[in-house]
Amino acid sequence: FRLEESVMTDRIEAAWNLAKERYGEEGVDAEAAIETLASVSLSLHCWQGDDVRGFEGAGDLTDGGIAATGNHPGRARNADELRSDLDAAFTLIPGTHRLSLHAIYAEPPSPVARDELLPEHFARWIGWAVDRDLGLDFNPSFFAHPKASDGFTLSHPDPGVRRFWIAHGRACREIGAAMGRATGSPCVTNVWIPDGHKDTPADRTGPRERLLQSLDEVFSQELDARENLDSVESKLFGIGSEAYVVGSHEFYLGYAIRRGILYCLDTGHFHPTESVADKISSVLLHLDRILLHVSRGVRWDSDHVVTLSDDPISLAGEIVHGGVLDRVHLGLDYFDASINRVAAWIIGARNLQKALLMALLTPAHTLREHERSGNLTARLAMMEGTKTLPFGAVWDYHCEREGVPQDNAWLPLVEAYEREVLEARR
């Protein structure tokens, strides 16, 4: 979209001035809050735009426990269409952000095996990101492949299969480093594997021993942390691995601490009654940095679009009030094919930003003082009272200042894009 320079309306500016004054009464600097929010980059996930299909020509995902549901028109069929859709989404999200790519989105001149991927196979992605001043993050693709057809990759009992996937992981780290070098911003290269059993296994230890050895080989080459940051991601269960996942929370947390790499907490990868927000302060006592994949599970790890619900609000509160915003890499990870895919990016990203803004506008210092003094009544009263402060006026002002439409104004632009661009892809 080519958006005309935003002109601050009298209504928005008047509401902002009143909101700023009201937050000031609570000891909150609203101007500082939106300045901080403007500096936070989210990592949008490319796979929302094409239902996690990639460009290898495999079609629907069958191996690896991933499924995108729905058939809304307009799925990106190639990299140019996907980049066009991303351009549209980025235009309607306040701030400057990043893109997270999977290995299956390579663009080689002819088919290349995953264990032979090179940075040059992502040259067009890198050039596109540099032109737009976007950072890049990267993910090896340990799924939707004949060598993952039985649900095992790095923990496979066959040494030959393990060697293939180890080589893939090593190649992806090199690609991540090349992306970080080109963009001038470290690329977070995140390893997630689907390995596990559908039913109760006879041996839980063997696969984890093999995974440990494979990961050590993947990470054996030392790379410049100014170019590449390694991360590992756990999962509670998956499609086809309901009874046992090799890369559990305990396994990967221990591994990340031992190697001093990032640990990825995906909000859809835990039990519905677990609080991922509660894990942040514990994990960051042992690790310098973490990666968050923000998703929304509905009864299970279903990767729904992020909404402004209690979970992301709690997550943002832990990050902001814990003073660790600079130690947390924020990424999105969901794929919904039942709605407009460009809108899905925008809705999820803007909701995560709103959660962060809510946290930045919370009088955390006063709340902590009440807690330290034992005045738990005042703590609860203030926590509840902050929920009715004029957050929306601050968000509207932030959008206007960043040159993007307010919440009631961006959807018609996406609907026009759907009529003019997406519907032609039928």
Side-chain angles (χ1 to χ4, degrees), residues 161-188:
V161 174
R162 291 202 305 277
R163 280 195 298 271
F164 174 85
W165 290 116
I166 289 167
H168 175 61
R170 290 170 65 93
C172 288
R173 293 183 70 231
E174 294 274 11
I175 293 165
M179 289 176 171
R181 211 159 38 243
T183 61
S185 175
C187 173
V188 178

Side-chain angles (χ1 to χ4, degrees), residues 305-326:
V305 177
V306 175
T307 57
L308 192 59
S309 58
D310 287 345
D311 289 338
I313 291 172
S314 297
L315 203 69
E318 280 295 311
I319 296 167
V320 172
H321 303 154
V324 295
L325 192 54
D326 60 340

Side-chain angles (χ1 to χ4, degrees), residues 188 190 231 262-265 289-293 328-331:
V188 178
N190 181 55
S231 176
L262 277 68
Y263 175 49
C264 177
L265 291 160
R289 293 173 176 270
I290 61 171
L291 169 65
L292 286 181
H293 276 182
V328 178
H329 297 261
L330 290 163

Side-chain angles (χ1 to χ4, degrees), residues 4-266:
E4 295 183 4
E5 186 175 349
S6 177
V7 178
M8 190 73 65
T9 66
D10 291 341
R11 178 183 60 80
I12 291 174
E13 190 161 15
W16 154 250
N17 287 325
L18 289 171
K20 183 168 57 172
E21 181 179 351
R22 179 67 185 90
Y23 276 107
E25 293 170 358
E26 301 294 332
V28 175
D29 186 339
E31 181 71 41
I34 58 176
E35 287 178 2
T36 299
L37 181 62
S39 71
V40 176
S41 293
L42 308 181
S43 190
L44 268 68
H45 52 310
C46 75
W47 49 95
Q48 164 59 43
D50 78 326
D51 308 340
V52 210
R53 294 189 180 216
F55 307 137
E56 292 181 334
D60 292 332
L61 298 179
T62 55
D63 305 319
I66 293 178
T69 56
N71 58 357
H72 195 87
R75 176 182 65 83
R77 300 163 299 183
N78 54 57
D80 288 332
E81 290 181 349
L82 186 54
R83 284 188 283 264
S84 172
D85 294 351
L86 284 161
D87 280 333
F90 278 123
T91 304
L92 300 176
I93 300 167
T96 301
H97 301 287
R98 307 174 64 85
L99 176 68
S100 184
L101 277 167
H102 248 289
I104 55 174
Y105 293 84
E107 296 178 90
S110 57
V112 173
R114 290 191 198 175
D115 60 341
E116 297 176 350
L117 285 170
L118 297 169
E120 63 200 55
H121 300 141
F122 295 86
R124 295 186 67 202
W125 282 110
I126 293 172
W128 173 84
V130 169
D131 287 345
R132 288 154 178 78
D133 195 27
L134 300 174
L136 287 172
D137 297 313
F138 199 57
N139 307 264
S141 300
F142 293 94
F143 54 85
H145 191 278
K147 289 188 184 295
S149 60
D150 58 0
F152 285 84
T153 59
L154 290 177
S155 69
H156 203 286
D158 184 337
V161 174
R162 291 202 305 277
R163 280 195 298 271
F164 174 85
W165 290 116
I166 289 167
H168 175 61
R170 290 170 65 93
C172 288
R173 293 183 70 231
E174 294 274 11
I175 293 165
M179 289 176 171
R181 211 159 38 243
T183 61
S185 175
C187 173
V188 178
T189 303
N190 181 55
V191 171
W192 172 81
I193 61 172
D195 300 34
H197 283 290
K198 181 178 180 66
D199 214 336
T200 307
D203 177 16
R204 294 177 182 271
T205 303
R208 286 177 174 149
E209 290 175 337
R210 293 192 292 270
L211 176 56
L212 182 67
Q213 182 179 7
S214 294
L215 287 171
D216 283 345
E217 293 187 50
V218 169
F219 297 121
S220 60
Q221 181 183 0
E222 188 170 344
L223 298 176
D224 191 336
R226 293 171 297 182
E227 299 173 352
N228 181 79
L229 297 171
D230 295 307
S231 176
V232 287
E233 178 182 351
S234 67
K235 196 163 189 176
L236 176 63
F237 77 98
I239 301 172
S241 59
E242 290 84 357
Y244 167 74
V245 167
V246 182
S248 65
H249 169 62
E250 295 78 9
F251 177 93
Y252 275 130
L253 178 57
Y255 189 82
I257 293 170
R258 182 166 70 86
R259 291 205 69 103
I261 62 177
L262 277 68
Y263 175 49
C264 177
L265 291 160
D266 187 304

